[in-house]
Amino acid sequence: MQRRRFLAGAVTAAGASALARPAIAQTTPEVRWRLTSSFPKNTILYFGADYLVKRVAELTSGKFQIQAFGPGEIVPALQVLDAVQNGTVECGSSASYYYLGKDMTFGFDCAVPFGLNVRQQNAWLYHGGGLDLLRQFFKNYNIHNIPSGNTGTQMGGWFRKEIKSVDDLKGLKFRCSGFAGQVLSRIGVVPQLIGAGDVYPALERGAIDAAEWVGPYDDEKMGFYKVAKYYYYPGWWEGSAQVSTYVHLKEWEALPAQYKVALEAACADAAGWMLSRFDAENPPALRRLLANGAVLRPFSREIMTACYETAFQLYHEIASSNPQFKAVLEPWLKFREEEYLWFRVAENSFDNFVYSQSQKKT
Amino acid sequence: MQRRRFLAGAVTAAGASALARPAIAQTTPEVRWRLTSSFPKNTILYFGADYLVKRVAELTSGKFQIQAFGPGEIVPALQVLDAVQNGTVECGSSASYYYLGKDMTFGFDCAVPFGLNVRQQNAWLYHGGGLDLLRQFFKNYNIHNIPSGNTGTQMGGWFRKEIKSVDDLKGLKFRCSGFAGQVLSRIGVVPQLIGAGDVYPALERGAIDAAEWVGPYDDEKMGFYKVAKYYYYPGWWEGSAQVSTYVHLKEWEALPAQYKVALEAACADAAGWMLSRFDAENPPALRRLLANGAVLRPFSREIMTACYETAFQLYHEIASSNPQFKAVLEPWLKFREEEYLWFRVAENSFDNFVYSQSQKKT
């Protein structure tokens, strides 16, 4: 592949004017791909992939067409990584923490408990060496990964009764995502793995005590407030949660340069679009949830601190037996401390002040 | 123009296969534009425009080329809006608050004291009706505006002595941006308008008492820490500060659809790039400034509150005599309250907790 690209480059440089027409014909071929998404078709996470594939088509005058499919149409929701790795599809859209069972290193591409918020994650990816590290890792799976969106900080979930202390968590059956489950199980929670469609009935009949999903906009559609009114925050296991586009490595390498740029720019554009959509939809959804009886509660300091300490113990344990995890964790921890030093100064003090003035008559 | 575009569309629809070659030739013409920037060529703000024009070229196989110029190369820094409005250049890159003297409504396209942070600004622009309102306003200046970057929350500036109370502000000669100056002058500050190159010597010899610029990365280059060591935060007049690309309206309308999309996607891509660059560069710059003797100080609650109340009085006064300002202010205030309701729950409580744990042994 490298050799062919080198030769193509040499031809273009040496004979651009003489071979103008054939060169153009070669660089804008018709390309048809399929994208399989992990996310239901009525979610912002899916809308982001939809926005992305439309942008790619528009940017290439319809020459590069990607058709998006929902979970189950080609492969199930949690088999997107495998489908791209095996070449079943050319590309996919997913949340990398679905694949923690293969390797905990996937967490850094999506969400790590008490990790980076969206802006810090993007700073790490694009200017802190993060994306290079992640791409090295994804090569093991024949995948070229492109960040394509984020949810922002998620909520901590819906609880049937109030949770005030670490003791209240003992034995609690909580439907939650993978990394959170590993932390919480160490302080007595019994994590539950339940498919999206089964969560509501399980919560309703008390088979589980609590469930977390995303944030107000998505949670409202699931109707959890009707059966578990205590709505806890923050979702400390998802200070940000990134969506990635996975591209089969050989397909990526075979793309003309212009299409690579079109796909990258479309992913960057979609990332901004998705985050701002979440940030615009969540506020009115939260207001509606409160009007419908949801009761907001912060996780207590005791719970937050216990989970924080447990999480970092876990990271160091994983790093001691997983060199790939360690190779990302160490620079990530260093970068994270630097970001916190700065963000707590200007950004956080501004936010804290204006929020304290909120609802004041202006 | 409308008629010609309609006819072109009809031809493409009716005879696409028969006329394939001419149609392609018409839709990807060679386009050469000039972009004039308000920002010095060694700033991230300028690098963003540079990233943008490279992306546009890559997305169009070099057919749509925009050449970027620094301040003074075509027009001075603060005449970018006029240059685009008059058609001196096809497009420009600027901060809209430079044009508050023409109309205070420009503030909403860049920064308003105690306004939206970056994510809230983007939510407002893309999913809260903000960009539509701003584009209506910019049409008065023959301009199609495209958001293209942001600095995040800026710092409050460099002060030769400590400022503890509103009384300490009386008579203070402060070099600051336009909207801040209007607020601060009402509580006794004497705002100073001084060109970038003259700020350091004025501060050094005590002709002014304080000066604000951007944030750690840019401020470090200016060397202010050597002559005014108290570094105040936050820059409440710039909770976020947006950079926009101005495109002459007729040039925009004449662009082929594919080039419009290329420019929009490149601006969105550049916006993410710029913000993450600031967020990655500011932390080590802050650390270096502290090592070189800068002393961090928060503005006191008394000062923040006095400025907050003064700012909102000012907004309502402006709105009472400027219907364009009022048309943006009212929905903006409503959107802002909604955003604060949500952001203070998940995002802000997450940030506050992790920052409180920062530098803890993990």
Side-chain angles (χ1 to χ4, degrees):
Chain A
M1 187 58 72
Q2 284 304 316
R3 188 177 137 80
R4 204 171 74 200
R5 290 176 72 208
F6 173 75
L7 287 175
V11 167
T12 306
S17 56
L19 296 169
R21 275 198 50 222
I24 288 170
Q26 281 170 1
T27 54
T28 57
E30 301 272 341
V31 174
R32 297 279 175 278
W33 280 9
R34 296 189 305 169
L35 176 150
T36 185
S37 170
S38 293
F39 311 114
K41 284 186 154 179
N42 66 344
T43 61
I44 293 176
L45 297 165
Y46 184 88
F47 301 159
D50 206 41
Y51 181 93
L52 189 167
V53 302
K54 285 203 181 87
R55 268 301 199 215
V56 169
E58 290 168 346
L59 286 166
T60 60
S61 285
K63 293 282 191 70
F64 183 11
Q65 294 273 357
I66 306 175
Q67 190 178 356
F69 293 88
E73 294 185 330
I74 302 175
V75 297
L78 305 186
Q79 289 176 25
V80 170
L81 183 99
D82 304 74
V84 178
Q85 182 180 3
N86 301 334
T88 307
V89 289
E90 292 83 4
C91 64
S93 175
S94 195
S96 295
Y97 63 17
Y98 292 153
Y99 313 104
L100 291 173
K102 296 177 190 288
D103 193 315
M104 294 299 284
T105 313
F106 279 110
F108 294 103
D109 190 59
C110 179
V112 173
F114 302 106
L116 305 169
N117 69 20
V118 183
R119 282 177 53 182
Q120 295 155 1
Q121 173 79 0
N122 289 341
W124 179 66
L125 289 172
Y126 299 112
H127 304 284
L131 191 52
D132 292 339
L133 284 171
L134 292 173
R135 285 193 171 152
Q136 274 309 112
F137 171 73
F138 271 89
K139 275 193 180 165
N140 302 325
Y141 297 84
N142 295 325
I143 283 173
H144 179 78
N145 54 305
I146 312 177
S148 308
N150 206 306
T151 63
T153 303
Q154 298 193 7
M155 288 293 285
W158 299 87
F159 291 69
R160 288 165 56 94
K161 56 179 186 180
E162 281 192 271
I163 301 295
K164 294 181 177 168
S165 65
V166 173
D167 270 352
D168 290 343
L169 289 170
K170 310 266 186 231
L172 192 95
K173 292 182 199 157
F174 183 31
R175 191 269 179 201
C176 61
S177 67
F179 225 142
Q182 293 202 27
V183 174
L184 286 164
S185 68
R186 294 184 171 211
I187 56 174
V189 168
V190 187
Q192 308 287 307
L193 289 170
I194 302 176
D198 300 323
V199 181
Y200 183 94
L203 202 53
E204 186 178 31
R205 70 172 187 273
I208 57 175
D209 305 301
E212 65 95 12
W213 189 240
V214 182
Y217 179 74
D218 298 280
D219 290 5
E220 186 187 25
K221 290 183 188 170
M222 301 291 275
F224 297 145
Y225 63 93
K226 296 174 196 161
V227 289
K229 71 176 178 179
Y230 296 103
Y231 197 20
Y232 275 84
Y233 66 89
W236 45 260
W237 48 90
E238 288 166 300
S240 70
Q242 182 180 303
V243 174
S244 283
T245 299
Y246 302 153
V247 183
H248 188 68
L249 201 54
K250 287 212 170 64
E251 298 289 346
W252 171 255
E253 287 169 352
L255 274 188
Q258 189 187 346
Y259 293 4
K260 284 184 181 172
V261 176
L263 184 52
E264 283 177 346
C267 287
D269 190 346
W273 181 91
M274 185 191 290
L275 181 65
S276 57
R277 178 82 188 263
F278 272 114
D279 290 343
E281 299 280 8
N282 277 328
L286 177 61
R287 194 178 283 284
R288 289 191 300 270
L289 286 167
L290 296 177
N292 281 322
V295 179
L296 274 180
R297 287 281 182 272
F299 284 123
S300 69
R301 190 94 188 165
E302 185 208 349
I303 289 174
M304 292 289 281
T305 307
C307 293
Y308 188 90
E309 287 166 5
T310 305
F312 283 85
Q313 283 164 13
L314 177 62
Y315 303 154
H316 291 297
E317 284 178 30
I318 299 167
S320 70
S321 64
N322 180 338
Q324 301 204 96
F325 188 89
K326 187 178 178 183
V328 182
L329 177 69
E330 288 180 353
W332 181 89
L333 283 174
K334 191 162 173 290
F335 190 85
R336 177 177 171 275
E337 277 299 327
E338 288 285 302
E339 291 293 292
Y340 286 7
L341 166 77
W342 159 239
F343 267 84
R344 64 192 304 180
V345 174
E347 198 78 30
N348 187 242
S349 69
F350 177 81
D351 283 346
N352 283 340
F353 179 77
V354 292
Y355 298 156
S356 77
Q357 303 296 301
S358 175
Q359 299 178 336
K360 197 168 171 179
K361 175 79 190 128
T362 48
Chain B
M1 187 59 67
Q2 284 305 313
R3 189 177 134 79
R4 206 172 71 199
R5 291 177 69 209
F6 172 75
L7 287 174
V11 167
T12 306
S17 56
L19 295 171
R21 277 197 49 220
I24 287 170
Q26 283 171 1
T27 54
T28 58
E30 301 272 340
V31 174
R32 297 282 175 274
W33 279 9
R34 296 189 304 169
L35 175 149
T36 184
S37 170
S38 293
F39 311 113
K41 284 186 157 181
N42 66 345
T43 60
I44 293 175
L45 297 164
Y46 184 87
F47 302 158
D50 207 43
Y51 181 93
L52 189 166
V53 301
K54 285 206 180 84
R55 268 303 200 214
V56 169
E58 290 169 344
L59 285 167
T60 60
S61 286
K63 293 285 191 71
F64 183 11
Q65 294 272 358
I66 307 175
Q67 191 179 356
F69 293 87
E73 294 185 328
I74 302 174
V75 296
L78 305 186
Q79 289 177 25
V80 170
L81 184 100
D82 304 73
V84 178
Q85 182 181 1
N86 301 334
T88 307
V89 290
E90 292 83 4
C91 63
S93 175
S94 195
S96 295
Y97 63 16
Y98 293 152
Y99 313 103
L100 291 173
K102 296 176 189 288
D103 193 314
M104 294 297 285
T105 313
F106 280 111
F108 295 104
D109 189 59
C110 178
V112 174
F114 302 105
L116 304 170
N117 69 20
V118 183
R119 282 177 52 183
Q120 295 155 2
Q121 173 78 1
N122 289 341
W124 179 66
L125 289 172
Y126 298 111
H127 304 283
L131 190 54
D132 292 340
L133 284 172
L134 292 173
R135 285 196 169 149
Q136 274 309 114
F137 171 72
F138 272 90
K139 275 193 180 166
N140 301 325
Y141 297 84
N142 294 324
I143 283 174
H144 179 78
N145 54 306
I146 312 177
S148 308
N150 207 303
T151 63
T153 304
Q154 299 193 7
M155 288 294 285
W158 299 87
F159 291 69
R160 287 164 55 94
K161 56 179 187 180
E162 281 192 89
I163 300 295
K164 294 181 175 169
S165 65
V166 172
D167 271 351
D168 291 342
L169 289 170
K170 309 265 188 233
L172 192 95
K173 292 181 199 156
F174 183 30
R175 190 270 179 199
C176 62
S177 66
F179 224 142
Q182 293 202 29
V183 175
L184 285 165
S185 68
R186 294 186 170 209
I187 56 174
V189 169
V190 187
Q192 307 288 307
L193 289 172
I194 302 178
D198 300 323
V199 181
Y200 183 93
L203 201 54
E204 185 177 29
R205 71 173 187 272
I208 59 175
D209 304 302
E212 65 97 11
W213 187 239
V214 182
Y217 179 76
D218 298 279
D219 290 6
E220 186 187 26
K221 290 184 188 171
M222 301 290 274
F224 298 145
Y225 62 95
K226 297 175 196 159
V227 289
K229 72 175 177 179
Y230 295 104
Y231 197 21
Y232 274 84
Y233 64 90
W236 46 260
W237 48 91
E238 287 164 301
S240 69
Q242 182 180 303
V243 173
S244 283
T245 299
Y246 302 153
V247 183
H248 188 68
L249 200 54
K250 286 211 171 63
E251 298 289 346
W252 172 255
E253 287 169 351
L255 274 187
Q258 191 187 343
Y259 292 5
K260 284 184 181 171
V261 176
L263 184 53
E264 283 177 346
C267 287
D269 190 346
W273 182 92
M274 184 191 292
L275 181 64
S276 57
R277 179 82 189 263
F278 272 114
D279 289 343
E281 299 281 7
N282 277 328
L286 178 61
R287 193 178 284 285
R288 288 191 301 269
L289 286 167
L290 296 177
N292 281 321
V295 179
L296 275 180
R297 288 282 182 271
F299 285 123
S300 68
R301 191 93 187 164
E302 184 208 352
I303 290 175
M304 292 289 284
T305 307
C307 293
Y308 188 91
E309 286 167 4
T310 307
F312 283 85
Q313 281 163 15
L314 177 62
Y315 303 154
H316 291 297
E317 283 176 33
I318 300 167
S320 70
S321 63
N322 180 339
Q324 300 203 97
F325 187 90
K326 187 177 178 184
V328 182
L329 178 69
E330 288 181 351
W332 181 89
L333 283 174
K334 193 161 171 289
F335 189 85
R336 178 177 171 276
E337 276 299 327
E338 287 284 302
E339 290 292 293
Y340 286 6
L341 167 77
W342 159 238
F343 266 85
R344 64 192 304 181
V345 175
E347 199 77 32
N348 187 241
S349 69
F350 177 81
D351 284 347
N352 283 341
F353 178 77
V354 292
Y355 298 156
S356 77
Q357 304 295 302
S358 175
Q359 300 177 338
K360 198 168 172 177
K361 175 81 191 124
T362 48

